[in-house]
Amino acid sequence: MTQDRQTEASPPSSRDPETRRPSRGVVLACAGARYLPLAIHTARSVAMTNPDLPIDLFTDGETDDPVFARVVPLERVWFRPKFEAMRRSRFDRTLYLDTDLRVLADISDVFDLLDRVEIAGAHDAYRASRKALDPSLPPAFPQINSGVLALRSGDRTAGIMAEVERQLHESQAKKDQPILRRVLWESDIAVGILPEEYNLMAYRHVALWSDRYAAPRIVHNSRFSHLGAGGLAALTGGRLARHIEQLIRHDPTLQTDATRSRIFPPIDRTPWGAVARAVEKIRLEAAKRRAKD
Protein backbone atom coordinates (compact mmCIF):
# COMPACT_ATOMS: atom_id res chain seq x y z
CA MET A 1 0.00 0.00 0.00
CA THR A 2 1.25 3.43 -0.89
CA GLN A 3 1.45 5.60 2.18
CA ASP A 4 0.63 9.30 2.08
CA ARG A 5 3.54 10.97 3.86
CA GLN A 6 2.22 14.51 3.44
CA THR A 7 0.86 15.91 6.67
CA GLU A 8 -1.55 18.68 7.51
CA ALA A 9 1.27 20.53 9.24
CA SER A 10 3.56 20.51 6.21
CA PRO A 11 1.62 20.74 2.96
CA PRO A 12 3.61 20.91 -0.28
CA SER A 13 4.65 24.39 -1.32
CA SER A 14 3.08 25.69 -4.53
CA ARG A 15 6.28 27.68 -5.12
CA ASP A 16 8.56 24.66 -5.21
CA PRO A 17 8.27 22.81 -8.54
CA GLU A 18 9.60 19.64 -6.93
CA THR A 19 6.78 19.52 -4.37
CA ARG A 20 3.96 21.30 -6.17
CA ARG A 21 0.57 19.66 -5.77
CA PRO A 22 -0.84 17.86 -8.81
CA SER A 23 -3.38 20.26 -10.25
CA ARG A 24 -6.40 17.97 -10.70
CA GLY A 25 -7.47 14.60 -9.39
CA VAL A 26 -10.31 12.40 -8.20
CA VAL A 27 -10.61 11.17 -4.60
CA LEU A 28 -12.70 8.29 -3.27
CA ALA A 29 -13.10 7.06 0.30
CA CYS A 30 -14.41 3.90 1.92
CA ALA A 31 -14.27 2.19 5.30
CA GLY A 32 -15.11 -1.47 5.63
CA ALA A 33 -14.26 -4.44 3.44
CA ARG A 34 -17.62 -4.54 1.65
CA TYR A 35 -17.12 -1.04 0.24
CA LEU A 36 -13.67 -1.57 -1.26
CA PRO A 37 -14.92 -3.44 -4.37
CA LEU A 38 -17.48 -0.67 -4.91
CA ALA A 39 -14.73 1.93 -4.86
CA ILE A 40 -12.81 -0.06 -7.46
CA HIS A 41 -15.83 -0.30 -9.78
CA THR A 42 -16.45 3.44 -9.50
CA ALA A 43 -12.77 4.26 -10.04
CA ARG A 44 -12.68 2.10 -13.17
CA SER A 45 -15.60 4.05 -14.62
CA VAL A 46 -13.58 7.23 -14.04
CA ALA A 47 -10.49 5.74 -15.65
CA MET A 48 -12.41 4.58 -18.71
CA THR A 49 -13.96 7.99 -19.38
CA ASN A 50 -11.30 10.34 -17.96
CA PRO A 51 -7.98 8.50 -18.37
CA ASP A 52 -5.85 11.59 -17.63
CA LEU A 53 -7.23 12.05 -14.11
CA PRO A 54 -5.27 10.41 -11.25
CA ILE A 55 -7.47 8.65 -8.69
CA ASP A 56 -6.62 8.39 -4.98
CA LEU A 57 -8.41 6.16 -2.49
CA PHE A 58 -8.62 6.79 1.26
CA THR A 59 -9.47 3.53 3.03
CA ASP A 60 -8.85 1.25 6.00
CA GLY A 61 -8.33 -1.66 3.64
CA GLU A 62 -5.62 -2.72 1.24
CA THR A 63 -5.64 -2.95 -2.54
CA ASP A 64 -3.02 -3.00 -5.24
CA ASP A 65 -5.50 -2.35 -8.03
CA PRO A 66 -3.65 -0.24 -10.61
CA VAL A 67 -6.67 2.00 -11.11
CA PHE A 68 -5.53 3.96 -8.04
CA ALA A 69 -2.57 6.32 -8.17
CA ARG A 70 -2.35 6.26 -4.37
CA VAL A 71 -4.01 4.33 -1.57
CA VAL A 72 -3.97 6.34 1.65
CA PRO A 73 -4.71 4.96 5.15
CA LEU A 74 -7.58 6.67 6.97
CA GLU A 75 -6.91 8.43 10.25
CA ARG A 76 -10.43 7.68 11.51
CA VAL A 77 -12.47 4.64 10.49
CA TRP A 78 -16.18 5.41 10.55
CA PHE A 79 -19.18 5.62 8.23
CA ARG A 80 -18.29 9.02 6.70
CA PRO A 81 -14.61 9.03 5.70
CA LYS A 82 -15.32 11.31 2.75
CA PHE A 83 -14.70 14.56 4.64
CA GLU A 84 -11.27 13.40 5.80
CA ALA A 85 -10.45 12.40 2.22
CA MET A 86 -11.44 15.81 0.89
CA ARG A 87 -9.53 17.84 3.47
CA ARG A 88 -6.41 15.66 3.08
CA SER A 89 -6.45 15.55 -0.73
CA ARG A 90 -3.06 16.16 -2.35
CA PHE A 91 -4.62 17.86 -5.39
CA ASP A 92 -5.01 21.59 -5.98
CA ARG A 93 -8.47 20.83 -7.32
CA THR A 94 -10.27 17.74 -6.11
CA LEU A 95 -13.36 15.97 -7.32
CA TYR A 96 -14.68 13.68 -4.60
CA LEU A 97 -16.94 10.79 -5.70
CA ASP A 98 -19.00 8.34 -3.67
CA THR A 99 -18.59 4.62 -4.38
CA ASP A 100 -22.17 4.01 -5.60
CA LEU A 101 -22.01 5.76 -8.95
CA ARG A 102 -20.77 5.40 -12.51
CA VAL A 103 -19.01 8.09 -14.51
CA LEU A 104 -20.22 7.94 -18.10
CA ALA A 105 -18.46 10.82 -19.87
CA ASP A 106 -15.87 13.56 -19.63
CA ILE A 107 -16.14 15.45 -16.33
CA SER A 108 -12.94 17.50 -16.56
CA ASP A 109 -14.92 20.73 -16.97
CA VAL A 110 -16.01 20.47 -13.33
CA PHE A 111 -12.49 21.50 -12.34
CA ASP A 112 -12.82 24.66 -14.46
CA LEU A 113 -15.62 25.86 -12.16
CA LEU A 114 -13.05 26.13 -9.39
CA ASP A 115 -11.62 29.20 -11.13
CA ARG A 116 -14.75 30.99 -9.92
CA VAL A 117 -15.92 29.11 -6.82
CA GLU A 118 -14.24 27.19 -4.01
CA ILE A 119 -16.77 24.35 -3.72
CA ALA A 120 -19.16 22.95 -6.32
CA GLY A 121 -21.83 20.30 -5.85
CA ALA A 122 -25.08 19.16 -7.39
CA HIS A 123 -28.43 20.33 -6.05
CA ASP A 124 -30.19 17.61 -4.06
CA ALA A 125 -33.95 17.83 -4.47
CA TYR A 126 -34.59 15.37 -1.61
CA ARG A 127 -34.51 18.04 1.08
CA ALA A 128 -38.11 17.98 2.29
CA SER A 129 -37.69 14.83 4.35
CA ARG A 130 -38.04 15.04 8.13
CA LYS A 131 -34.29 14.62 8.66
CA ALA A 132 -33.38 17.28 6.11
CA LEU A 133 -35.81 20.00 7.16
CA ASP A 134 -34.22 23.07 8.73
CA PRO A 135 -36.77 25.87 9.27
CA SER A 136 -34.02 28.35 10.13
CA LEU A 137 -32.64 28.27 6.57
CA PRO A 138 -34.35 29.76 3.52
CA PRO A 139 -35.87 26.94 1.45
CA ALA A 140 -34.33 28.61 -1.61
CA PHE A 141 -30.83 27.85 -0.32
CA PRO A 142 -30.06 24.47 -1.86
CA GLN A 143 -28.89 21.33 -0.19
CA ILE A 144 -26.04 19.88 -2.22
CA ASN A 145 -25.34 16.20 -2.55
CA SER A 146 -22.11 15.27 -0.82
CA GLY A 147 -21.51 12.31 -3.13
CA VAL A 148 -20.10 14.46 -5.94
CA LEU A 149 -18.16 17.45 -4.60
CA ALA A 150 -15.48 19.55 -6.24
CA LEU A 151 -13.28 21.77 -4.12
CA ARG A 152 -10.28 24.03 -4.47
CA SER A 153 -7.50 23.22 -2.03
CA GLY A 154 -7.01 25.72 0.78
CA ASP A 155 -7.56 26.47 4.43
CA ARG A 156 -11.13 27.63 3.85
CA THR A 157 -12.35 24.48 2.10
CA ALA A 158 -10.39 22.23 4.48
CA GLY A 159 -12.04 24.11 7.35
CA ILE A 160 -15.51 23.49 5.91
CA MET A 161 -14.83 19.76 5.62
CA ALA A 162 -13.37 19.59 9.13
CA GLU A 163 -16.36 21.43 10.61
CA VAL A 164 -18.88 19.14 8.91
CA GLU A 165 -16.88 16.14 10.10
CA ARG A 166 -16.79 17.49 13.67
CA GLN A 167 -20.52 18.23 13.84
CA LEU A 168 -21.44 14.92 12.26
CA HIS A 169 -19.27 12.98 14.69
CA GLU A 170 -20.43 14.87 17.78
CA SER A 171 -24.13 14.80 16.89
CA GLN A 172 -24.06 11.13 15.77
CA ALA A 173 -26.37 12.21 12.96
CA LYS A 174 -27.06 9.66 10.23
CA LYS A 175 -27.14 12.21 7.41
CA ASP A 176 -24.33 14.60 6.55
CA GLN A 177 -26.00 16.74 3.89
CA PRO A 178 -28.19 18.83 6.24
CA ILE A 179 -25.08 19.59 8.29
CA LEU A 180 -23.10 20.48 5.17
CA ARG A 181 -25.93 22.76 4.06
CA ARG A 182 -25.94 24.67 7.34
CA VAL A 183 -22.14 24.96 7.47
CA LEU A 184 -22.09 26.35 3.93
CA TRP A 185 -24.89 28.81 4.78
CA GLU A 186 -23.02 30.09 7.81
CA SER A 187 -19.78 30.51 5.87
CA ASP A 188 -18.89 33.10 3.25
CA ILE A 189 -17.39 30.53 0.92
CA ALA A 190 -18.30 30.68 -2.78
CA VAL A 191 -20.41 27.67 -3.80
CA GLY A 192 -21.26 26.59 -7.34
CA ILE A 193 -24.21 24.35 -8.20
CA LEU A 194 -23.66 21.57 -10.72
CA PRO A 195 -26.48 20.73 -13.16
CA GLU A 196 -28.45 17.52 -12.67
CA GLU A 197 -26.54 15.61 -15.33
CA TYR A 198 -23.38 15.74 -13.18
CA ASN A 199 -25.08 13.78 -10.40
CA LEU A 200 -28.15 12.12 -11.85
CA MET A 201 -29.92 10.23 -9.09
CA ALA A 202 -33.48 10.02 -10.44
CA TYR A 203 -32.27 8.22 -13.55
CA ARG A 204 -35.80 7.37 -14.72
CA HIS A 205 -36.26 11.06 -15.53
CA VAL A 206 -34.02 10.47 -18.57
CA ALA A 207 -36.96 8.71 -20.19
CA LEU A 208 -38.32 12.24 -20.73
CA TRP A 209 -35.07 13.70 -22.12
CA SER A 210 -34.53 14.50 -25.78
CA ASP A 211 -31.43 15.72 -27.64
CA ARG A 212 -32.20 19.20 -26.29
CA TYR A 213 -30.98 18.04 -22.87
CA ALA A 214 -27.31 17.83 -21.94
CA ALA A 215 -26.42 14.16 -21.55
CA PRO A 216 -25.81 12.57 -18.13
CA ARG A 217 -22.16 12.54 -17.05
CA ILE A 218 -22.59 10.75 -13.73
CA VAL A 219 -25.37 8.40 -12.63
CA HIS A 220 -25.49 8.09 -8.85
CA ASN A 221 -27.74 5.53 -7.20
CA SER A 222 -27.50 3.43 -4.05
CA ARG A 223 -28.49 0.33 -6.04
CA PHE A 224 -24.99 0.30 -7.51
CA SER A 225 -23.94 -0.90 -4.05
CA HIS A 226 -25.62 -4.23 -4.83
CA LEU A 227 -24.79 -4.57 -8.53
CA GLY A 228 -21.11 -5.46 -8.25
CA ALA A 229 -19.27 -4.63 -11.45
CA GLY A 230 -22.58 -4.13 -13.25
CA GLY A 231 -22.63 -1.20 -15.62
CA LEU A 232 -25.32 1.31 -16.39
CA ALA A 233 -27.69 -1.20 -18.01
CA ALA A 234 -27.71 -3.29 -14.83
CA LEU A 235 -29.30 -0.32 -13.08
CA THR A 236 -31.46 1.27 -15.76
CA GLY A 237 -32.26 -1.62 -18.07
CA GLY A 238 -30.97 -1.90 -21.60
CA ARG A 239 -33.44 0.44 -23.28
CA LEU A 240 -32.76 3.42 -21.04
CA ALA A 241 -29.01 2.73 -21.04
CA ARG A 242 -28.98 2.81 -24.84
CA HIS A 243 -30.88 6.10 -24.78
CA ILE A 244 -28.31 7.61 -22.41
CA GLU A 245 -25.45 6.38 -24.60
CA GLN A 246 -27.14 7.97 -27.62
CA LEU A 247 -27.52 11.27 -25.78
CA ILE A 248 -23.80 11.19 -24.90
CA ARG A 249 -22.73 10.45 -28.49
CA HIS A 250 -24.69 13.37 -29.91
CA ASP A 251 -24.24 15.93 -27.11
CA PRO A 252 -22.38 18.98 -28.53
CA THR A 253 -21.36 20.03 -25.02
CA LEU A 254 -19.42 16.77 -24.76
CA GLN A 255 -18.36 16.12 -28.35
CA THR A 256 -17.28 19.22 -30.29
CA ASP A 257 -17.60 17.27 -33.55
CA ALA A 258 -20.84 15.53 -32.60
CA THR A 259 -23.34 15.15 -35.40
CA ARG A 260 -26.67 16.58 -34.36
CA SER A 261 -29.36 13.95 -34.33
CA ARG A 262 -33.00 14.26 -33.34
CA ILE A 263 -33.38 12.04 -30.28
CA PHE A 264 -36.86 11.49 -28.94
CA PRO A 265 -37.52 10.56 -25.30
CA PRO A 266 -38.17 6.83 -24.87
CA ILE A 267 -41.48 7.58 -23.21
CA ASP A 268 -42.64 9.29 -26.42
CA ARG A 269 -41.86 6.15 -28.42
CA THR A 270 -44.36 4.01 -26.48
CA PRO A 271 -48.05 3.61 -27.36
CA TRP A 272 -48.92 5.47 -24.17
CA GLY A 273 -46.59 8.29 -25.15
CA ALA A 274 -48.16 8.59 -28.60
CA VAL A 275 -51.62 8.84 -27.04
CA ALA A 276 -50.38 11.42 -24.51
CA ARG A 277 -48.88 13.57 -27.29
CA ALA A 278 -52.10 13.42 -29.29
CA VAL A 279 -54.19 14.39 -26.27
CA GLU A 280 -51.81 17.26 -25.44
CA LYS A 281 -52.00 18.54 -29.03
CA ILE A 282 -55.80 18.51 -28.95
CA ARG A 283 -55.80 20.29 -25.58
CA LEU A 284 -53.47 23.04 -26.83
CA GLU A 285 -55.50 23.58 -30.01
CA ALA A 286 -58.65 23.87 -27.92
CA ALA A 287 -56.95 26.38 -25.61
CA LYS A 288 -55.92 28.49 -28.64
CA ARG A 289 -59.49 28.53 -29.95
CA ARG A 290 -60.84 29.61 -26.57
CA ALA A 291 -58.27 32.39 -26.40
CA LYS A 292 -59.45 33.78 -29.73
CA ASP A 293 -63.13 33.78 -28.69
Side-chain angles (χ1 to χ4, degrees):
M1 179 182 294
T2 301
Q3 299 294 316
D4 183 2
R5 294 184 174 85
Q6 298 171 3
T7 66
E8 296 297 311
S10 56
S13 169
S14 61
R15 298 184 183 88
D16 182 354
E18 296 301 318
T19 58
R20 184 176 297 135
R21 287 175 181 266
S23 60
R24 298 179 171 192
V26 172
V27 164
L28 283 74
C30 67
R34 66 177 289 245
Y35 293 103
L36 186 54
L38 307 181
I40 293 171
H41 300 323
T42 293
R44 287 176 179 169
S45 76
V46 177
M48 286 181 63
T49 52
N50 296 262
D52 294 333
L53 288 176
I55 308 166
D56 286 359
L57 174 67
F58 286 75
T59 182
D60 62 334
E62 295 187 8
T63 177
D64 57 1
D65 195 295
V67 74
F68 298 114
R70 289 190 181 184
V71 177
V72 185
L74 287 167
E75 294 172 346
R76 173 191 287 168
V77 178
W78 67 318
F79 84 111
R80 281 295 184 269
K82 64 176 71 177
F83 298 103
E84 175 186 333
M86 284 186 274
R87 64 178 171 78
R88 292 180 61 201
S89 171
R90 65 190 173 103
F91 304 114
D92 275 329
R93 300 180 183 200
T94 297
L95 178 61
Y96 168 80
L97 299 176
D98 268 356
T99 60
D100 58 346
L101 56 80
R102 296 291 184 271
V103 178
L104 308 178
D106 181 18
I107 51 174
S108 59
D109 55 310
V110 172
F111 297 96
D112 297 333
L113 287 185
L114 300 176
D115 287 338
R116 292 293 192 93
V117 300
E118 295 172 82
I119 293 178
H123 169 229
D124 191 333
Y126 306 135
R127 67 178 191 278
S129 67
R130 179 177 58 82
K131 293 180 179 179
L133 285 175
D134 190 339
S136 66
L137 298 183
F141 184 72
Q143 175 171 282
I144 63 175
N145 187 279
S146 62
V148 177
L149 273 180
L151 61 155
R152 189 196 313 163
S153 177
D155 292 341
R156 284 159 55 85
T157 51
I160 292 286
M161 298 303 118
E163 180 59 20
V164 174
E165 189 176 10
R166 183 190 68 78
Q167 290 191 26
L168 185 62
H169 186 260
E170 290 182 358
S171 67
Q172 296 297 299
K174 301 298 183 184
K175 302 291 183 181
D176 59 73
Q177 288 173 180
I179 294 174
L180 175 61
R181 182 180 179 221
R182 169 164 285 285
V183 170
L184 290 175
W185 172 256
E186 292 174 346
S187 76
D188 62 351
I189 205 160
V191 180
I193 303 301
L194 299 172
E196 182 182 19
E197 61 267 22
Y198 289 83
N199 189 31
L200 182 64
M201 303 193 76
Y203 64 87
R204 292 185 182 89
H205 290 177
V206 182
L208 299 170
W209 291 16
S210 72
D211 57 288
R212 298 181 181 180
Y213 286 71
R217 275 74 164 163
I218 297 173
V219 172
H220 185 182
N221 194 281
S222 60
R223 293 181 184 177
F224 276 126
S225 299
H226 311 289
L227 294 178
L232 181 63
L235 174 71
T236 66
R239 187 162 181 258
L240 197 54
R242 289 190 296 273
H243 178 63
I244 291 173
E245 291 165 0
Q246 189 179 23
L247 289 174
I248 291 171
R249 283 197 308 272
H250 297 282
D251 184 345
T253 69
L254 277 170
Q255 326 286 350
T256 55
D257 57 349
T259 56
R260 296 308 301 263
S261 178
R262 193 74 179 97
I263 302 172
F264 293 96
I267 200 167
D268 284 357
R269 299 196 293 268
T270 64
W272 179 90
V275 171
R277 288 199 311 277
V279 170
E280 181 68 4
K281 186 175 181 180
I282 293 169
R283 186 190 68 77
L284 289 174
E285 291 298 327
K288 289 178 183 178
R289 288 195 297 270
R290 288 196 300 269
K292 291 179 180 178
D293 294 341

